[in-house]
Amino acid sequence: CAVIEVCELTKRYGGTTALDALTFTARPGEVTGFLGPNGAGKSTTMRIILGLDRPDAGTATVNGAAYRGLDRPTRQVGAVLDASAVAGGRRAVDHLRWQARAAGLPATRVDEVLADVGLSDVARRRVGGFSLGMKQRLGIAGALLGDPPVLLFDEPVNGLDPDGVRWIRDLLRGFAAQGRTVLLSSHLMSELERTADRVVIVVRGRVVADAPLAALGDGL
Ligand code: ADP
Ligand code: ADP
């Protein structure tokens, strides 16, 4: 009963093979860790799952169908790909209103998602003054606008302090406990070991290990 199914995904950029028959699944109620060094192909995989990039071969499906992209009105998948890149001029609440409009979603949930990530108090501050941790939370708020059952996070704790790491960990564990399917990438095992239920390890676009965290612990 996998929700995300990535099957034999292959992607080349010029002479670079980013993904080389990559295959794995992610199940509901779990945080699936997606571990690999920089350049291993994690972001490329997420972009393909989201329909933002096309594979040369293979398929990526969410609940049995190719996902049609973030720009459509849909509530199935939420993602935070690079929260640090958020444009700084606007207030947090306006950023989320813009994002809701761009995704064809009603803006009625903006206050709710700000509260979900603990940003209600700074809703009217400009995003340019936000710390990296606050930007990550804002990114997560945006991903929650459509209340999606599937959530993708690309290196969400990269550069955060221990409090920020713990905060995101608890939030992601909570999403899994709600029955959501969570895919969490990192280049550090230490960032996954208390958050992920399973870890898929990718090196040069290929899966080299796929196991429950407890099983991997002995081998690493
Ligand atoms: P990761 O997220 O694991 O760090 P990426 O998916 O970003 O890895 O990158 C995988 C490989 O594909 C790398 O060699 C990277 O340089 C290359 N790559 C990714 N996106 C592009 C792109 N748009 N153009 C050219 N090469 C790319
Ligand atoms: P404004 O409200 O400032 O007149 P728009 O909301 O029409 O501008 O956005 C103009 C473009 O700027 C959009 O098409 C989008 O590409 C980019 N953009 C605007 N807001 C954001 C945002 N919050 N995050 C990322 N890109 C944005």
Side-chain angles (χ1 to χ4, degrees):
C1 38
V3 166
I4 299 173
E5 296 203 38
V6 170
C7 183
E8 302 273 320
L9 217 52
T10 297
K11 177 71 181 178
R12 292 177 210 92
Y13 293 104
T16 305
T17 299
L19 301 179
D20 184 8
L22 185 88
T23 299
F24 72 94
T25 62
R27 290 191 290 262
E30 289 186 348
V31 175
T32 299
F34 196 28
L35 176 69
N38 289 329
K42 305 181 296 295
S43 301
T44 300
T45 302
M46 288 193 176
R47 284 201 308 274
I48 291 173
I49 293 170
L50 291 164
L52 300 174
D53 209 341
R54 292 168 61 86
D56 295 310
T59 56
T61 59
V62 176
N63 284 322
Y67 192 63
R68 304 309 305 172
L70 281 178
D71 55 340
R72 312 287 170 98
T74 175
R75 293 148 199 269
Q76 210 182 357
V77 185
V80 187
L81 297 186
D82 185 5
S84 66
V86 62
R90 302 168 189 233
R91 301 177 305 164
V93 63
D94 293 330
H95 170 75
L96 289 173
R97 285 185 189 138
W98 172 85
Q99 209 178 327
R101 196 167 67 237
L105 294 164
T108 47
R109 274 177 48 80
V110 165
D111 289 343
E112 193 180 334
V113 297
L114 280 165
D116 286 346
V117 301
L119 290 180
S120 301
D121 291 349
V122 295
R124 294 182 183 282
R125 290 214 211 141
R126 290 190 190 281
V127 175
F130 278 19
S131 67
L132 183 58
M134 290 161 79
K135 287 180 180 173
Q136 277 297 352
R137 296 197 211 184
L138 183 63
I140 295 171
L144 293 173
L145 279 168
D147 198 15
V150 181
L151 287 161
L152 314 186
F153 301 99
D154 195 4
E155 300 267 5
V157 304
N158 203 7
L160 298 194
D161 62 21
D163 279 347
V165 173
R166 212 171 301 126
W167 197 89
I168 299 243
R169 175 198 306 149
D170 291 347
L171 194 71
L172 268 50
R173 291 301 324 157
F175 293 152
Q178 293 163 347
R180 286 170 148 140
T181 303
V182 181
L183 184 63
L184 164 65
S185 81
S186 176
H187 61 287
L188 294 172
M189 188 62 166
S190 59
E191 289 179 354
L192 298 176
E193 61 195 0
R194 294 172 62 193
T195 311
D197 298 283
R198 284 172 50 240
V199 174
V200 174
I201 304 180
V202 55
V203 177
R204 277 184 244 109
R206 292 192 72 88
V207 173
V208 298
D210 181 346
L213 199 72
L216 287 169
D218 300 334
L220 292 173

